[in-house]
């Protein structure tokens, strides 16, 4: 019998881009080797990993000899390449809507969450390290855009204007999510899909990180949706791979509606 | 199923979707709108949250049984699903991944650059009424005011140079199309780059494989038919505010 090619996922916490393919693999029931990279320790810029993904961003996945990057495209690949429950809807219009939401989140909403996250969490977490060591670490980053982002996060140099714009987008995005989830059970269709997996990775900690914008009174549909995803066995298994308090924020979803 | 496509001049995202429609021979009513005058925001075009907040900026709107849809790559994927013509996406999952990541690169890095340079060279006359997205409205005001940032212009220029380098490299094994068989990746790349040959000529100098590829895409009957729908002498000069240049890495 031919050997089934094995899957290895290089990821950080179940969160944002890392969590998207992780949760997809769990939902599909695909066994994979988990290769944890500590983003705050700059593991993603070390030679071993750059040999896999020269861009030095997480996640990446190998399937046999194939190397795949770009978390959302990896999710579609996993859904198509493996047996298990389909995570794309049957209807072509719903399929379009899944992709629309994933793009909107990946390229418009998530970067704003990221900017806030990097300024309140990533920057402060590494700031106190030896400046010379940090400098050397930043010099190893392949993407010039990311060198700038890391420097800004470490020195706390995001402008008030940038932060205000990110906060505005977060508020708009929460409004649109609530509106969409008021129209149907899942984000983009009547069945659980990659859009929900993507969205959960972005929004699971909303009631903690944006309590004034997202809670049981203001966004009941978002809260219902987050709890429903958290209740899935795949989500539990996936978040169990988290090693830090960041992933543990998900437990806020254990509470019942107030 | 009734399909109506509201499209602008055959350039950028309107070109992708018109050509995809013709490639697939899908049945649709065509409605011409003036994207560069902001007509998408007026009463003639059906509205939906996904159109108002499409981060593609000004692009065509496909209405299927009353549901307004936006974003050219995904509209082309939709047409591929429903139209009878030959496939515009590969069938193997890994090749589909190659196509989707290629399109993501074009949409995320190249389209914003092309739209920035295109609008800078051909600024729209006035800011339309009723632009729902605050950041798109800002790109309109900047474009109309001719507010062009030197750093962004330079960065956009580099992005076009890099895109052509990448295409030249991709085709170095003698392939005709970006992902083996002709696909949405060819359409979307062509649609954003066709207008750049004039604005960033250095990018295309001494790039024989890219030149031959551009000619091959242009010669496809579906693309020729889309280009023949132009109402202006040079549709590649018609631009409207597109996707924003990345704010974050
Ligand atoms: N578009 C890529 C982005 C990947 C990405 O930026 N990942 C972040 C973590 S969520 C990262 O690696 N950041 C660390 C760094 O840039 O050093 C994807 O979706 O996979």
């Amino acid at each position: 019998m031919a050997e089934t090619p094995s899957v290895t996922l290089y990821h950080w916490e179940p969160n944002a881009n890392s969590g998207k393919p992780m949760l997809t693999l769990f939902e599909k029931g695909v066994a994979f080797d988990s290769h944890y990279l500590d983003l705050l320790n700059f593991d993603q810029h070390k030679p071993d990993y750059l040999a896999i993904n020269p861009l030095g961003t997480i996640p990446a996945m190998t399937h046999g000899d194939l190397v795949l990057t770009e978390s959302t495209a990896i999710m579609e690949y996993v859904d198509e390449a493996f047996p298990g429950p389909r995570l794309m809807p049957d209807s072509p219009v719903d399929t379009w809507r899944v992709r629309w939401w994933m793009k909107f989140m990946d390229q418009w909403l998530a970067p704003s969450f990221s900017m806030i996250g990097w300024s309140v969490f990533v920057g402060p977490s590494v700031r106190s390290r030896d400046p010379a060591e940090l400098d050397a670490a930043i010099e190893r980053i392949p993407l010039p855009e990311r060198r700038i982002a890391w420097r800004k996060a470490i020195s706390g140099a995001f402008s008030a204007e940038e932060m205000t714009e990110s906060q505005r987008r977060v508020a708009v995005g929460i409004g649109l999510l609530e509106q969409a989830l008021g129209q149907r059970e899942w984000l983009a269709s009547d069945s659980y899909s990659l859009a929900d997996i993507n969205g959960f990775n972005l929004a699971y900690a909303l009631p903690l990180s944006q309590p004034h914008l997202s809670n049981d009174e203001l966004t009941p549909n978002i809260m219902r949706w987050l709890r429903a995803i958290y209740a899935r066995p795949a989500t539990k298994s996936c978040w169990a791979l988290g090693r830090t308090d960041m992933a543990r924020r998900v437990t806020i979803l254990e509470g019942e509606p107030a | 199923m009734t399909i109506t496509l509201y499209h602008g001049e055959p350039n950028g995202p309107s070109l992708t979707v018109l050509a995809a429609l013709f490639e697939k021979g899908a049945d649709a009513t065509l409605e011409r709108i003036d994207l560069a005058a902001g007509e998408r925001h007026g009463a003639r075009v059906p509205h939906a949250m996904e159109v108002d907040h499409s981060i593609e900026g000004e692009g065509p709107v496909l209405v299927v049984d009353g549901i307004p849809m936006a974003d050219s790559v995904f509209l082309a994927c939709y047409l591929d699903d429903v139209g009878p013509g030959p496939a515009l996406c590969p069938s193997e999952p890994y090749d589909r991944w190659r196509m989707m990541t290629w399109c993501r690169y074009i949409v995320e890095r190249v389209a914003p650059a092309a739209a920035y340079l295109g609008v800078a060279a051909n600024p729209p006359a006035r800011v339309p009424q009723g632009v729902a997205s605050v950041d798109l409205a800002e790109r309109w005001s900047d474009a109309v005011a001719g507010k062009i940032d030197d750093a962004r212009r330079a960065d956009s220029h580099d992005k076009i140079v890099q895109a052509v380098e990448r295409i030249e490299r991709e085709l170095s094994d003698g392939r005709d199309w970006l992902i083996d068989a002709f696909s949405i990746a060819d359409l979307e790349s062509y649609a954003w780059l066709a207008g750049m040959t004039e604005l960033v000529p250095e990018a295309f100098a001494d790039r024989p494989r890219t030149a031959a590829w551009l000619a091959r895409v242009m010669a496809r009957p579906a693309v020729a038919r889309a280009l023949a729908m132009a109402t202006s002498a040079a549709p590649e000069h018609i631009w409207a505010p597109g996707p924003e240049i990345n704010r974050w890495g």
Side-chain angles (χ1 to χ4, degrees):
Chain A
M1 209 176 82
E3 228 182 292
T4 328
S6 67
V7 175
T8 301
L9 189 72
Y10 298 82
H11 62 89
W12 181 44
E13 291 290 278
N15 181 70
N17 292 325
S18 284
K20 285 148 56 180
M22 285 168 82
L23 184 50
T24 308
L25 288 163
F26 277 108
E27 285 286 352
K28 294 294 278 191
V30 178
F32 65 99
D33 292 324
S34 152
H35 191 119
Y36 186 95
L37 297 166
D38 185 355
L39 181 135
L40 300 178
N41 193 32
F42 303 101
D43 287 352
Q44 69 277 23
H45 310 132
K46 293 184 179 155
D48 284 358
Y49 182 64
L50 293 181
I52 309 279
N53 180 10
L55 294 180
T57 56
I58 317 174
M61 186 178 96
T62 57
H63 182 201
D65 296 336
L66 305 175
V67 181
L68 301 99
T69 55
E70 279 298 342
S71 54
T72 291
I74 296 176
M75 290 197 291
E76 286 211 40
Y77 174 84
V78 169
D79 188 42
E80 291 169 2
F82 298 97
R86 277 283 288 159
L87 296 170
M88 278 299 236
D90 293 329
S91 128
V93 169
D94 288 346
T95 301
W96 158 80
R97 197 181 295 100
V98 169
R99 295 197 173 116
W100 187 94
W101 267 105
M102 295 202 291
K103 176 179 177 183
F104 177 76
M105 294 189 288
D106 290 350
Q107 294 180 238
W108 193 86
L109 191 50
S112 292
F113 274 102
S114 248
M115 196 183 280
I116 297 170
W118 279 54
S119 106
V120 304
F121 172 68
V122 176
S125 309
V126 299
R127 197 168 288 159
S128 57
R129 292 189 207 153
D130 174 31
E133 230 172 77
L134 281 176
D135 247 6
I138 290 171
E139 281 316 308
R140 283 194 294 270
I141 301 178
L143 286 177
E145 288 94 336
R146 292 308 168 91
R147 280 201 289 276
I148 296 171
W150 271 107
R151 284 202 191 284
K152 274 175 132 173
I154 290 169
S155 61
F158 293 107
S159 71
E161 204 185 353
E162 278 177 303
M163 295 304 288
T164 306
E165 176 61 6
S166 291
Q167 193 58 51
R168 177 188 77 80
R169 291 184 187 210
V170 164
V172 170
I174 289 172
L176 295 177
L177 284 167
E178 179 64 17
Q179 184 187 326
L181 289 163
Q183 282 163 12
R184 50 184 86 78
E185 183 178 356
W186 301 105
L187 183 53
S189 66
D190 293 332
S191 56
Y192 186 66
S193 79
L194 297 181
D196 300 296
I197 294 181
N198 190 319
F200 187 77
N201 274 284
L202 180 67
Y204 72 93
L206 265 186
L208 259 185
S209 65
Q210 304 287 334
H212 54 297
L213 293 177
S214 188
N215 54 51
D216 281 306
E217 284 77 53
L218 288 173
T219 58
N221 289 297
I222 291 179
M223 295 304 299
R224 159 188 66 73
W225 172 69
L226 291 177
R227 289 191 183 103
I229 300 175
Y230 184 58
R232 298 173 74 89
T235 311
K236 295 280 174 12
S237 314
C238 183
W239 257 258
L241 294 188
R243 299 183 182 181
T244 70
D245 285 343
M246 171 175 210
R248 278 189 282 275
R249 293 179 304 169
V250 79
T251 53
I252 180 91
L253 300 173
E254 274 163 19
E256 281 304 307
Chain B
M1 188 171 55
T2 36
I3 306 184
T4 306
L5 174 62
Y6 294 84
H7 65 90
E9 283 290 277
N11 190 33
S14 289
L15 177 54
T16 299
V17 180
L18 281 167
L21 182 77
F22 298 148
E23 289 278 354
K24 294 297 292 186
D27 223 353
T29 306
L30 296 180
E31 291 282 351
R32 182 187 301 282
I33 53 172
D34 192 346
L35 282 181
E39 208 181 346
R40 197 178 65 127
H41 304 280
R44 242 191 90 201
V45 183
H47 281 260
M49 179 270 276
E50 293 91 344
V51 174
D52 288 343
H53 293 276
S54 157
I55 61 170
E56 182 166 65
E58 300 305 331
V61 178
L62 191 75
V63 182
V64 176
D65 293 336
I67 301 178
M69 302 158 46
D71 268 292
S72 56
V73 170
F74 305 151
L75 297 183
C77 290
Y78 168 82
L79 292 167
D80 189 45
D81 280 346
V82 303
L88 291 178
C89 295
S91 56
E92 284 303 309
Y94 179 67
D95 293 329
R96 292 167 68 83
W97 171 85
R98 287 169 61 207
M99 191 192 89
M100 290 311 260
T101 48
W102 181 276
C103 288
R104 164 85 185 245
Y105 163 67
I106 296 292
V107 160
E108 190 173 26
R109 306 286 171 188
V110 183
Y116 198 77
L117 297 174
V119 162
N122 310 274
R126 68 188 68 79
V127 180
Q129 293 281 302
V131 180
S133 153
V134 170
D135 43 287
L136 178 59
E138 198 177 302
R139 297 203 287 290
W140 269 101
S141 319
D142 287 352
V144 169
K147 198 172 138 196
I148 304 301
D149 177 81
D150 285 337
R152 289 180 160 210
R153 189 205 291 271
D155 179 62
S156 297
H157 179 279
D158 291 349
K159 291 286 190 299
I160 301 301
V161 170
Q162 288 158 11
V164 177
E165 279 168 6
R166 207 167 149 175
I167 290 175
E168 193 72 9
R169 210 164 47 234
E170 207 64 30
L171 299 174
S172 62
D173 60 2
R175 242 178 306 143
D176 275 355
W177 308 113
L178 293 169
I179 318 289
D180 309 328
F182 179 77
S183 76
I184 293 168
D186 296 290
L187 282 180
E188 181 77 356
S189 308
Y190 178 89
W192 288 107
L193 287 173
M196 294 296 109
T197 54
E198 210 174 292
L199 293 180
V200 192
E202 340 49 287
F204 297 85
D206 202 20
R207 295 280 182 252
R209 288 186 287 264
T210 304
W213 167 81
L214 285 168
R216 269 194 298 279
V217 179
M218 194 165 92
R220 292 186 72 89
V223 175
R225 189 172 154 200
L227 291 171
M229 295 187 61
T231 51
S232 54
E236 69 277 16
H237 291 173
I238 309 294
W239 293 91
E244 74 182 343
I245 293 173
N246 267 18
R247 305 170 61 232
W248 172 254

